[in-house]
Amino acid sequence: MTVYVRSLETAVPTTMLIQAEARDVFAAQPGLSRLGSRLVGTCFDSAAIDTRFTAVEELTNEARSEDPQFYDPRTGLLLNPSTKVRNEIFAREATKLFVQAARSAMDANPELDLLDITHLITVSCTGFFNPGPDYKIVRELGLDPAVQRYHLGFMGCYAAFPALRAAKLFCEADPNAVVLVVCAELCSLHVRTSNDPDTIMGSALFADGAAAAVVTARPGSEEHALLQLDHFETVLTPVGEDSMAWNIGDNGFEMVLGNYVPHIIDDHIVGALEPLLAREPGLAALPYSAIPHWAIHPGGRSILDKVESRLGLTEKQLLPAREILRNYGNMSSATVLFVIRNILEQAPQAGDERICSMAFGPGLTVETALFTKLRQAPARASAYRKHQANQQDRLPVEAPVG
């Protein structure tokens, strides 16, 4: 049975962070050591990010709050709210993104009714509340109250793939199933000033965003489908358990993102791809660059550099991942769906448009997937382009070179 993605839509908060401005704020904090100040400049400037989006409106100099919790522009100080405060904001603001992305994905399917949704899978690792986002989507969109609901929590940047894989399995088990998958992350809730290199790197990379997909194998789905879900595989690298982690602290969630992660990926990416490509021997016999599209989770610039070099890919094949990193930053689980959406928006090519996709997360876990692009996604103005038009004078003239 062939399973299809009927729509794939994205959403971001309304507040844009300019990377150079965020760098200056973090570099000016009074508690930084000389080494910490240098690390802030290096991490922010080498991240290959121009802009990011945040649900925390007060993180910009234009925002004014009588009782600031994250950043006080009057003093220039970054504040350090408790995990409870951060999570309360997550419950409120993440709900907006979950619902916005889900509604957009359903609006892109006029042939489907909201009551056609049989399964709902939500994904997030940046906060918790219950009744959770799955419940909120059902209520806000008016889905059938009996819809089967599942939440994948705290898995990290690769979690979109387990969600899509579960959706595929549901559709294979029930040919009438229609599955709504929604990922939403508010990573910026957990930024803080610190001399710790992992914390500084996280502050330079992470951002907020959401993505939603409608998945089904119903007869006639191919006519309206964007993407065919072919294969999924999971690999744990033999090293790296301590190099990437996501822990809960008293003042937010704490990222462990060691500088050895790109080297681990460099050493083990070929082995991680073997089980996936073995599913189609014809592909396994070809050079990696023969696969037209590569949807790589942009965990950071150096990770993309290692993937491109080790697999012998072209600059063009990594362009979708680099564009998403530059315009949106790392939005954890939602990010790879932004990259896939970027590929779907490209004009069709001649021949079979296969997509090989990878995402990395704690463990070190490598999730891989093969898709087939079926048609071009409908053109739509991205949130980035809307903000770019409104704030052109504030944007950097040239992207940082890293």
Side-chain angles (χ1 to χ4, degrees), residues 7 12 66 104 113 186 193 200 234 239 279 299 330 360 371:
S7 62
V12 292
E66 292 299 320
S104 294
D113 187 270
L186 301 190
T193 181
I200 292 172
T234 303
V239 295
R279 303 285 293 271
N330 183 340
F360 319 97
F371 309 120

Side-chain angles (χ1 to χ4, degrees), residues 124-168:
S124 189
C125 68
T126 47
F128 304 93
F129 61 97
N130 200 5
D134 51 321
Y135 173 92
K136 297 292 187 181
I137 291 171
V138 170
R139 290 301 193 195
E140 291 288 337
L141 265 64
L143 304 184
D144 186 341
V147 65
Q148 295 186 35
R149 301 171 4 232
Y150 304 87
H151 181 71
L152 302 183
F154 221 63
M155 297 184 77
C157 294
Y158 62 82
F161 286 151
L164 289 176
R165 181 169 56 236
K168 184 173 186 288

Side-chain angles (χ1 to χ4, degrees), residues 40-380:
V40 168
T42 299
C43 290
F44 276 74
D45 289 345
S46 65
I49 295 172
D50 285 353
T51 54
R52 294 177 281 165
F53 292 86
T54 176
V56 185
E57 294 182 5
E58 65 182 55
L59 284 179
T60 64
N61 285 314
E62 288 72 29
R64 290 293 183 268
S65 172
E66 292 299 320
D67 183 26
Q69 297 174 305
F70 286 82
Y71 174 60
D72 187 349
R74 294 165 295 190
T75 63
L77 293 179
L78 286 165
L79 309 177
N80 198 19
S82 67
T83 301
K84 181 177 187 294
V85 169
R86 298 174 196 260
N87 198 64
E88 287 173 345
I89 297 173
F90 175 86
R92 181 180 71 246
E93 299 300 327
T95 295
K96 297 176 185 177
L97 278 186
F98 270 111
V99 171
Q100 181 183 346
R103 180 173 284 120
S104 294
M106 290 304 301
D107 288 346
N109 286 276
E111 305 85 6
L112 292 175
D113 187 270
L114 289 169
L115 296 179
D116 286 325
I117 299 297
T118 59
H119 301 71
L120 171 62
I121 304 171
T122 54
V123 179
S124 189
C125 68
T126 47
F128 304 93
F129 61 97
N130 200 5
D134 51 321
Y135 173 92
K136 297 292 187 181
I137 291 171
V138 170
R139 290 301 193 195
E140 291 288 337
L141 265 64
L143 304 184
D144 186 341
V147 65
Q148 295 186 35
R149 301 171 4 232
Y150 304 87
H151 181 71
L152 302 183
F154 221 63
M155 297 184 77
C157 294
Y158 62 82
F161 286 151
L164 289 176
R165 181 169 56 236
K168 184 173 186 288
L169 291 172
F170 289 146
C171 292
E172 289 171 342
D174 177 5
N176 196 47
V178 180
V179 186
L180 177 59
V181 175
V182 194
C183 302
E185 305 285 9
L186 301 190
C187 306
S188 70
L189 286 177
H190 304 290
V191 301
R192 62 179 63 80
T193 181
S194 173
N195 287 300
D196 176 68
D198 289 352
T199 303
I200 292 172
M201 181 60 71
S203 299
L205 284 175
F206 284 101
D208 304 346
V214 174
V215 180
T216 188
R218 282 187 175 184
S221 293
E222 184 176 4
E223 179 183 354
H224 303 285
L226 298 174
L227 198 67
Q228 178 178 305
L229 302 182
D230 298 323
H231 309 294
F232 294 90
E233 292 290 343
T234 303
V235 170
L236 298 180
T237 61
V239 295
E241 182 176 350
D242 299 326
S243 297
M244 188 184 293
W246 193 222
N247 303 311
I248 299 176
D250 293 334
N251 296 98
F253 298 172
E254 299 168 353
M255 167 58 69
V256 177
L257 190 62
N259 58 13
Y260 195 63
V261 168
H263 300 285
I264 296 173
I265 292 172
D266 188 35
D267 289 341
H268 298 285
I269 187 172
V270 171
L273 280 170
E274 285 179 354
L276 179 74
L277 298 181
R279 303 285 293 271
E280 295 195 22
L283 280 182
L286 297 173
Y288 298 115
S289 59
I291 300 174
H293 303 291
W294 286 80
I296 307 298
H297 168 67
R301 178 194 58 81
S302 57
I303 289 176
L304 295 179
D305 290 346
K306 292 292 186 183
V307 171
E308 182 178 324
S309 174
R310 174 62 69 177
L311 300 183
L313 303 180
T314 65
E315 291 184 9
K316 183 178 180 181
Q317 287 173 307
L318 266 291
L319 189 59
R322 295 192 191 277
E323 285 187 346
I324 295 304
L325 181 64
R326 182 175 69 252
N327 296 335
Y328 297 96
N330 183 340
M331 300 166 285
S332 193
S333 68
T335 320
V336 73
L337 298 180
F338 275 68
V339 178
I340 294 170
R341 172 75 201 199
N342 182 294
I343 292 171
L344 292 174
E345 289 176 341
Q346 297 173 12
Q349 299 179 7
D352 193 12
E353 291 199 59
R354 303 305 296 278
I355 302 172
C356 188
S357 192
M358 304 182 73
F360 319 97
L364 185 66
T365 302
V366 183
E367 287 279 349
T368 60
L370 273 175
F371 309 120
T372 302
K373 178 182 174 181
L374 300 176
R375 65 186 179 94
Q376 185 177 0
R380 55 104 166 92

